[in-house]
């Protein structure tokens, strides 16, 4: 049985904004699910409805098989980590972290052990005697996380909890969160607009836009088989190349999975869009698809070369040491295994 179930969850604000549109989601025990989407797509509202901080306009929230839709946050046994850490200013770091255990009447000695353990894991041991105002923003955010992680609730809800951290620290915190979750198997719903963070953390990613869930799938599937044009653009850095099929028909081989993208007479349909990730495009001197290099960007482990062609700009992934001159004319070929077709009008991927 799924541990957390959202059934046709809907939220319309008094001004008429429909922030969340009939969201269905079932989260398994021990699963790490990430709600991913641009600002304003309804991620936080969905999370707050799970927590009981916001009342749904319609739909249900089930926790462990029980309908908790009308229950208060306190009756849901939820650990919530906010983007803004809201530490108690008059308490020390140690007292802040211990607070949820104190509320749960955990004996003092047990509290001390739990606080020391989580502080050690989050590199906070040297700060335990300080007050929040004496800490940097990043340290305060780690204290906020420690306070949430010190207790093992039925479910962890996290709203952009790494927002105040810089690149390297963010990466190591992602690994830490993943470790914590794998160790304790507490089902987790995590909100972010950062697709790389989502890919790194999630067992399954839920991609949202304008209140709708567009796709729910493991990260590798969201990346390789995006359900819509929006997902294809939003996930991946850079996103998928999306090419006008009216023109690209002569150059792009059909996906071996189907002959979609063609109408009955065998002509390419102008109503479809061809998508291909940069790693499925290669330089091919004999190819009929020609273009001019406009950008050669070094990304450490690889380079992304942008080529202006008659069917649009195509980004190609190349080896880190395969430099190419800007202005050079090149031929391009697509690996059919990486080609995906989308319906232009609905944005949906063709089967
Ligand atoms: P962000 O990452 O920027 O927080 P989000 O995806 O979490 O974005 P929400 O905060 O859930 O998005 O907001 C969804 C929509 O609901 C937006 O249009 C937002 O302006 C609106 N909204 C959010 N909270 C309220 C509120 N309390 N009253 C009215 N409208 C709201």
């Amino acid at each position: 049985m799924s541990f957390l179930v959202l059934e046709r969850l809907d939220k319309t604000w008094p001004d008429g904004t429909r922030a969340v549109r009939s969201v269905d989601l079932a989260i398994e025990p021990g699963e790490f699910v990430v709600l991913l989407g641009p600002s304003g797509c309804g991620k936080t509202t969905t999370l707050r409805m799970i927590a009981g901080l916001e009342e749904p306009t319609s739909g249900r929230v089930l926790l462990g098989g029980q309908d908790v839709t009308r229950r208060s946050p306190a009756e849901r046994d939820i650990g919530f980590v906010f983007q803004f850490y809201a530490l108690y200013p008059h308490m020390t770091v140690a007292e802040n972290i211990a607070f949820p255990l104190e509320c749960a009447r955990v004996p003092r000695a047990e509290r001390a052990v739990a606080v020391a353990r989580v502080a050690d894991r989050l590199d906070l041991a040297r700060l335990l005697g300080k007050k929040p105002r004496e800490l940097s923003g990043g340290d305060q955010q780690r204290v906020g996380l420690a306070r949430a992680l010190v207790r093992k609730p039925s479910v962890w809800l996290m709203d952009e909890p790494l927002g105040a951290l810089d690149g390297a620290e963010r990466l190591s915190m992602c690994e830490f969160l993943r470790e914590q979750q794998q160790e304790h198997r507490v089902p987790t719903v995590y909100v972010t607009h950062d697709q790389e963070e989502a890919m790194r953390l999630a067992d399954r990613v839920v991609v949202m836009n304008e209140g709708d869930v567009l796709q729910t799938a493991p990260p590798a599937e969201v990346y390789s088989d995006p359900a819509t044009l929006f997902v294809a653009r939003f996930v991946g850095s850079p996103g998928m190349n999306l090419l006008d099929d009216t023109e690209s028909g002569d150059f792009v081989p059909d996906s071996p999975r189907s002959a979609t993208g063609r109408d009955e007479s065998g002509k390419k349909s102008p109503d479809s869009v061809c998508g291909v990730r940069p790693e499925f495009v290669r330089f091919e001197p004999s190819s009929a698809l020609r273009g001019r290099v406009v950008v050669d960007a070094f990304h450490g482990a690889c380079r992304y070369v942008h080529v202006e062609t008659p069917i649009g700009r195509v980004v190609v992934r190349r080896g880190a040491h395969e430099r190419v001159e800007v202005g050079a004319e090149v031929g391009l070929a697509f690996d059919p295994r990486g080609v995906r077709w989308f319906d232009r009008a609905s944005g949906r991927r063709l089967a």
Side-chain angles (χ1 to χ4, degrees), residues 118-195:
V118 74
D120 187 45
R121 298 287 292 274
L122 281 164
D123 195 23
L124 292 168
R126 69 208 150 80
L127 303 175
L128 284 174
K130 294 200 182 241
K131 295 275 174 64
R133 64 173 179 277
E134 299 173 273
L135 308 181
S136 69
D139 286 340
Q140 289 189 40
Q141 191 150 49
R142 282 185 294 120
V143 176
L145 263 175
R147 188 177 57 187
L149 296 176
V150 75
R151 197 174 73 86
K152 309 292 170 279
S154 321
V155 56
W156 273 322
L157 303 179
M158 305 191 182
D159 192 353
E160 307 248 8
L162 309 182
L165 304 180
D166 62 26
E169 206 175 10
R170 234 176 139 115
L171 269 180
S172 86
M173 284 308 300
C174 275
E175 280 156 23
F176 170 76
L177 283 179
R178 198 66 202 144
E179 261 175 51
Q180 281 289 300
Q181 203 267 346
Q182 279 168 356
E183 186 179 329
H184 301 294
R185 307 303 297 161
V186 175
T188 304
V189 186
Y190 184 105
V191 159
T192 183
H193 62 272
D194 180 334
Q195 52 95 24

Side-chain angles (χ1 to χ4, degrees), residues 5 115 206 241 314:
V5 178
V115 170
V206 179
N241 291 300
V314 181

Side-chain angles (χ1 to χ4, degrees), residues 53-106:
L53 295 166
E54 218 62 75
E55 201 174 319
T57 308
S58 59
R60 297 203 303 164
V61 178
L62 301 155
L63 257 179
Q66 295 203 4
D67 186 344
V68 298
T69 318
R70 307 284 157 216
R71 287 197 199 159
S72 71
E75 293 171 301
R76 299 189 188 199
D77 188 26
I78 271 167
F80 205 119
V81 192
F82 294 95
Q83 185 174 8
F84 305 105
Y85 13 88
L87 304 177
Y88 303 110
H90 59 287
M91 293 184 185
T92 63
V93 167
E95 287 163 349
N96 263 284
I97 299 174
F99 189 70
L101 300 177
E102 213 177 312
C103 295
R105 301 191 193 288
V106 173

Side-chain angles (χ1 to χ4, degrees), residues 13 15 17 19 38-45 160:
W13 296 108
D15 68 0
T17 308
S39 183
C41 73
K43 312 178 292 287
T44 295
T45 306
E160 307 248 8

Side-chain angles (χ1 to χ4, degrees), residues 5 7 41 60 69 88-89 123 138 146 149-150 205 213-214 252 257 259 277-278 281 309 322 325 327 350:
V5 178
E7 265 181 18
C41 73
R60 297 203 303 164
T69 318
Y88 303 110
D123 195 23
L149 296 176
V150 75
V205 180
V213 169
L214 302 181
V252 184
R257 286 174 51 195
R277 294 259 176 223
V281 190
T309 79
E322 296 178 302
E325 289 299 320
L350 296 167

